[in-house]
Amino acid sequence: MLDLSRITIVLIGIIVLVTTLNRLQRWRRNRAFSAAHGCQPPARLSRFRNLIQQIKAIKSHTWLDMWCRRYSTVAATFESATVSIDPIIFTNERENIKAMLSTDFKSFDLGDRRRRCVGPLLGPGIFSNDGPAWRHSRVSGEALTETGKRPGSVKADGLQAMLRPHFTKMQISDLSTFESHLQHLLTALPPVDQYSGLVEVDLQPLFFRMTLDSASEVLLGPDMSFNSQSDPPGSTSQRFLEAFDYAQIKITGVRSVLDRGWTKPFGLMYKLLKGSKKDKTEEAYDTVHSIMDDMIAEFLRAYH
């Protein structure tokens, strides 16, 4: 028979050893980075305080306010964690952001956590790739948006020359693309109360639908865009919206927590108990993929 006490002691020893080696490696890496760039150690926000603040912010719907307070009360750059083994560095300092997004862009990447979270929903692409793969996804999307043609019709040299400002320029210069969707949003508003003269409405789902509709038109063209503001329940756009909304909530919530750090063993245990049966989140992934596959297939057929 297995001696559970000995197994427990061995497992605890392994965890302590791995954690110690991990922290030592991180300390040496940070020390070398600080020496090379002249950085000071970031301020610290304790795990416990971080976790309590996040729970309160989620319950009170004050997530953005919480982050604004942190940068003003803790520091403009600080480190903290909840369930992850390594702390995460948060910053809103201009020079740090400029280095990550522009001047030293190649030194940073999205990381495995982002790929594990959004990969099952969005697949390989601009939101989950790094390096050359990310660059290819970005320029392909910009070429499609800028020219209004399918990617295959754009020359390779032209693709490599495409930069982020082209996509921004398209959005700013072609406001008519968004005007029709704004009008659909206004049409979806409930009537004015005859006594108060006011309108009581939850704008969040209406803006979510407008974003979905306008994005589908930009990417696939007006003939294949969604019109979720007026489509009935059970329609393609409504099924996509519900599945996508559910999936993105899960990948940034419970799914993310169970896939990293100290809680990862619970995530592995859940996968073992679940087996090959798909849960609601995985069914939402399948719905999103199925609808988009059909729309892309139809889009490609239109150009052949």
Side-chain angles (χ1 to χ4, degrees), residues 9-23 262:
I9 293 174
V10 171
L11 290 176
I12 293 175
I14 292 175
I15 292 174
V16 171
L17 178 61
V18 170
T19 302
T20 302
L21 292 175
N22 182 275
R23 290 189 175 184
W262 303 108

Side-chain angles (χ1 to χ4, degrees), residues 77-296:
T77 299
F78 65 93
E79 67 174 13
S80 187
T82 49
V83 299
S84 59
I85 296 176
D86 289 331
I88 301 171
I89 296 178
F90 303 90
T91 183
N92 70 348
E93 292 190 79
R94 180 183 303 175
E95 291 302 314
N96 290 337
I97 296 173
K98 184 171 71 174
M100 287 186 285
L101 298 182
S102 180
T103 58
D104 197 20
F105 179 80
K106 293 182 179 180
S107 297
F108 298 88
D109 60 20
L110 295 175
D112 291 334
R113 178 185 172 191
R114 167 72 76 87
R115 284 187 284 272
R116 290 197 305 268
C117 285
V118 305
L121 175 62
L122 302 179
I126 195 170
F127 296 108
S128 56
N129 283 342
D130 278 316
W134 175 87
R135 195 174 300 111
H136 172 75
S137 298
R138 188 181 75 172
V139 298
S140 298
E142 289 171 354
L144 171 60
T145 306
E146 183 74 11
T147 62
K149 300 176 182 179
R150 58 192 176 93
S153 65
V154 183
K155 293 183 179 180
D157 293 341
L159 280 176
Q160 298 302 323
M162 292 291 177
L163 298 173
R164 185 183 303 130
H166 289 139
F167 187 72
T168 306
K169 176 183 175 183
M170 186 283 304
Q171 289 180 319
I172 296 174
S173 63
D174 191 12
L175 295 179
S176 60
T177 302
F178 304 96
E179 177 62 27
S180 61
H181 299 293
L182 176 60
Q183 294 302 321
H184 292 158
L185 182 150
L186 296 176
T187 304
L189 292 174
V192 176
D193 185 89
Q194 59 178 338
Y195 299 106
S196 66
L198 302 176
V199 176
E200 183 178 350
V201 60
D202 182 2
L203 289 174
Q204 184 172 353
L206 297 182
F207 279 116
F208 183 30
R209 293 172 190 170
M210 185 181 74
T211 302
L212 170 67
D213 295 345
S214 60
S216 63
E217 179 172 352
V218 167
L219 295 174
L220 299 175
D223 295 335
M224 299 181 186
S225 62
F226 289 131
N227 188 16
S228 59
Q229 300 286 13
S230 58
D231 286 345
S235 61
T236 300
S237 64
Q238 292 293 336
R239 290 192 300 110
F240 180 89
L241 186 146
E242 292 170 2
F244 189 86
D245 189 39
Y246 181 86
Q248 71 172 351
I249 290 174
K250 290 299 181 182
I251 63 177
T252 56
V254 176
R255 208 86 174 181
S256 173
V257 172
L258 293 179
D259 195 37
R260 59 191 174 95
W262 303 108
T263 55
K264 192 166 186 176
F266 296 100
L268 296 174
M269 186 181 301
Y270 171 76
K271 291 179 180 179
L272 289 174
L273 295 175
K274 181 176 68 69
S276 59
K277 183 180 179 181
K278 292 186 177 181
D279 57 22
K280 191 174 180 180
T281 304
E282 291 168 330
E283 291 176 352
Y285 295 159
D286 290 344
T287 300
V288 170
H289 296 166
S290 176
I291 292 175
M292 288 309 302
D293 286 347
D294 291 343
M295 294 188 69
I296 292 172

Side-chain angles (χ1 to χ4, degrees), residues 33-67:
F33 186 91
S34 298
H37 298 276
C39 300
Q40 296 296 321
R44 292 185 179 182
L45 176 66
S46 70
R47 289 175 183 263
F48 179 76
R49 185 181 171 193
N50 184 13
L51 183 61
I52 295 300
Q53 288 180 355
Q54 290 192 27
I55 293 175
K56 289 182 178 179
I58 292 173
K59 289 183 176 180
S60 60
H61 305 285
T62 56
W63 188 261
L64 182 58
D65 293 337
M66 178 197 72
W67 280 103

